[in-house]
Amino acid sequence: MSASLTHRKQLDIAKIRNDFEILSENANGRPLVYLDNAATSQKPRQVLEAVDAFYLHANANVHRGVHFLSQKATTKYDAAREKIQTLLGARGPEEIILTKGCTEGINLVATCMSSPNSPLGSSERRQPYLGVGDEILLSNMEHHSNIVPWQLAATRVGATVKVIPITDSGEIDLDAYRALLKSGKVKVVGIVHVSNSLGTVNPVREMARLAHEAGAIVIVDGAQGGPHLRVNVQDLDADFYTLSCHKLYAPTGVGVLYGKKQLLEGFPPYHGGGDMVRTVSFEETTFAPLPAKFEAGTPNVAGVIGLGAAIDYLASLGAGETLAARLDSAFEKIHARERELTEYAMGRMAEIPGLRLTGTAPGKAGIISFVLESVHPHDIGTILDGEGIAIRAGHHCCMPLMARLGVPATARASLAFYNTTEEIDALVQGVYKVKDMFDREAAPAARR
């Protein structure tokens, strides 16, 4: 690798960490080591300032007022949607539906696909996209938010949920997936882009191609993909793609659903209320065009503006003449940084006797899940917290995956580009402390 290419991929980590003030906090009398980024990322000062600036200087409802503040708020809000379009590579802003989270986006699609698309005031009753005997394929590594909505949809219409198996290393069994598609009944494939528990980066483009050949639509859970990968929904050919924006360095309470325009236009509304209608009478209601059709009520204006600021922040880590070019450059650096951290963490954790890593797929993202012999993950998390180290312990909203792995829970450290090798070393030292504590307790018990 040339020196110029190496330089181009580097991030100024000291400068970046100064943007995230919370990283300099103490936890339980120790320097905070924040390794729970898959649950939520920390927010840079620039995002917090953008939210404050909205409330201090532009607070008003959007799309509903002709006065100065409303116009100012609307301009900022709509500009954020255009930035999201660029982030995801969508064809137009009308394909970007703003939600309160990734979970709501998946529920929107599942509900609309299992609901009759009947114009209000019409006696016509159109059949839902999903029907009796149809099949919905979901992988064994899905988050509950990409399982339960489809179970509810299947119950409504008499469809069936079937499971795409995974290998012991945590990868999709593509041969089994191809076999499942041959039934001729598959209408939906739901797949997580990056597993929140294993870190596996799934072959979404290939899975979408195979699904489309079988006549199915594809919804991708991008909660963990968005923060770590340079996503282009047109390149992936995903029919739907969701984002959990609080994992993307933006405020909580904001999500994104990307959907292909022709599919969204064919859906019935998900929520009813203000701003999603064209005309209303007691005899008939007509609906606004996309994206307003799916955005009833007052939105999280401050949160969406904060998301726009988070996209700007990420772009500032790159270089280029356009926002798209800067994001390309930034994510190249972010990917290189996180790849380096992940390889270092996997190597260090593998050195610990009695520790087993869960999720060892090649090219995985920075999610390090593990179990420690004779120690419950909750005990690991509690002891590490006493050392100032924040990880997550539990089933990670992936109970079917835990059953596949044969464990009740795992401990999970999840990385972001602002983490350091020193923090990983602190994690390793903390796990050794956990191990030593339980080894000492086990020795007298063995003698008894």
Side-chain angles (χ1 to χ4, degrees):
M1 183 180 293
S2 69
S4 61
L5 184 59
T6 301
H7 176 73
R8 193 163 65 244
K9 287 188 175 181
Q10 288 179 342
L11 295 169
D12 186 341
I13 301 304
K15 181 175 181 295
I16 286 169
R17 288 180 67 88
N18 283 335
D19 291 332
F20 293 83
E21 187 172 341
I22 198 170
L23 297 180
S24 62
E25 291 285 314
N26 286 335
N28 295 316
R30 306 292 185 95
L32 172 67
V33 176
Y34 186 77
L35 299 174
D36 195 21
N37 295 285
T40 196
S41 67
Q42 298 303 336
K43 321 305 174 198
R45 169 178 42 81
Q46 292 86 341
V47 169
L48 304 179
E49 289 175 349
V51 173
D52 282 349
F54 165 72
Y55 281 122
L56 290 170
H57 305 293
N59 183 39
N61 213 328
V62 294
H63 303 148
R64 302 179 188 184
V66 296
H67 61 79
F68 174 79
L69 286 180
S70 181
Q71 294 296 309
K72 188 175 180 180
T74 297
T75 297
K76 289 177 177 291
Y77 184 85
D78 290 346
R81 192 191 304 271
E82 292 178 358
K83 293 172 187 176
I84 300 163
Q85 175 196 344
T86 301
L87 176 73
L88 291 178
R91 293 172 181 83
E94 68 277 4
E95 294 186 319
I96 302 299
I97 309 301
L98 295 164
T99 66
K100 66 174 182 284
C102 185
T103 299
E104 185 180 39
I106 296 171
N107 273 274
L108 188 157
V109 176
T111 300
C112 290
M113 292 189 73
S114 56
S115 301
N117 185 3
S118 303
L120 294 185
S122 169
S123 60
E124 177 186 5
R125 181 173 175 80
R126 301 177 189 168
Q127 292 301 308
Y129 180 87
L130 282 170
V132 175
D134 288 339
E135 294 176 353
I136 302 161
L137 300 188
L138 306 173
S139 85
N140 211 158
M141 67 178 81
E142 297 306 308
H143 189 281
H144 295 166
S145 63
N146 204 23
I147 297 175
V148 179
W150 295 109
Q151 291 174 326
L152 293 171
T155 299
R156 278 193 289 270
V157 299
T160 303
V161 173
K162 293 200 168 182
V163 181
I164 307 167
I166 63 171
T167 67
D168 290 342
S169 63
E171 298 171 85
I172 293 292
D173 184 336
L174 284 173
D175 289 337
Y177 174 59
R178 292 186 184 95
L180 286 165
L181 288 172
K182 289 179 181 178
S183 72
K185 300 177 182 179
V186 179
K187 284 290 190 74
V188 178
V189 173
I191 184 68
V192 64
H193 199 168
V194 175
S195 166
N196 74 304
S197 182
L198 303 172
T200 304
V201 181
N202 283 315
V204 170
R205 185 188 297 107
E206 174 66 4
M207 294 184 74
R209 182 186 69 79
L210 293 169
H212 291 152
E213 288 178 357
I217 69 101
V218 178
I219 179 167
V220 181
D221 174 356
Q224 303 296 334
H228 304 291
L229 304 175
R230 185 66 176 106
V231 174
N232 185 300
V233 290
Q234 293 188 66
D235 179 58
L236 295 175
D237 201 17
D239 298 297
F240 300 98
Y241 194 100
T242 60
L243 288 179
S244 177
C245 298
H246 68 94
K247 298 176 174 67
L248 193 63
Y249 312 100
T252 54
V254 182
V256 172
L257 169 66
Y258 157 81
K260 289 180 178 177
K261 183 178 179 181
Q262 67 272 25
L263 292 174
L264 289 172
E265 286 181 332
F267 278 179
Y270 178 56
H271 290 150
D275 218 31
M276 51 78 68
V277 293
R278 180 175 280 135
T279 64
V280 178
S281 72
F282 282 108
E283 292 72 37
E284 181 181 14
T285 291
T286 59
F287 303 116
L290 299 174
K293 174 182 174 182
F294 294 104
E295 297 180 2
T298 298
N300 182 353
V301 181
V304 170
I305 290 171
L307 172 56
I311 294 171
D312 286 338
Y313 179 79
L314 290 170
S316 75
L317 304 178
E321 294 298 319
T322 65
L323 177 62
R326 292 192 295 276
L327 286 168
D328 287 343
S329 171
F331 273 95
E332 182 182 17
K333 295 178 181 181
I334 289 168
H335 181 74
R337 170 70 180 177
E338 292 182 348
R339 180 78 249 133
E340 175 185 276
L341 290 171
T342 301
E343 290 176 356
Y344 182 79
M346 292 287 285
R348 289 298 321 274
M349 297 294 279
E351 298 170 358
I352 302 173
L355 183 144
R356 177 168 66 89
L357 293 164
T358 59
T360 56
K364 63 174 285 179
I367 292 172
I368 318 297
S369 290
F370 61 95
V371 292
L372 192 59
E373 187 178 348
S374 302
V375 185
H376 195 282
H378 288 161
D379 292 323
I380 298 172
T382 300
I383 295 168
L384 290 178
D385 179 57
E387 300 297 307
I389 302 167
I391 67 162
R392 189 141 300 241
H395 54 65
H396 316 298
C397 292
C398 294
M399 288 185 184
L401 175 60
M402 296 299 114
R404 167 63 178 83
L405 297 174
V407 297
T410 65
R412 183 188 72 188
S414 48
L415 306 170
F417 59 83
Y418 49 57
N419 287 124
T420 65
T421 55
E422 290 80 10
E423 289 179 317
I424 293 168
D425 290 339
L427 170 65
V428 171
Q429 291 168 11
V431 174
Y432 269 114
K433 180 173 182 177
V434 174
K435 180 176 169 56
D436 290 344
M437 288 177 63
F438 277 83
D439 284 349
R440 286 197 302 271
E441 290 181 5
R447 289 195 293 271
R448 289 198 297 268

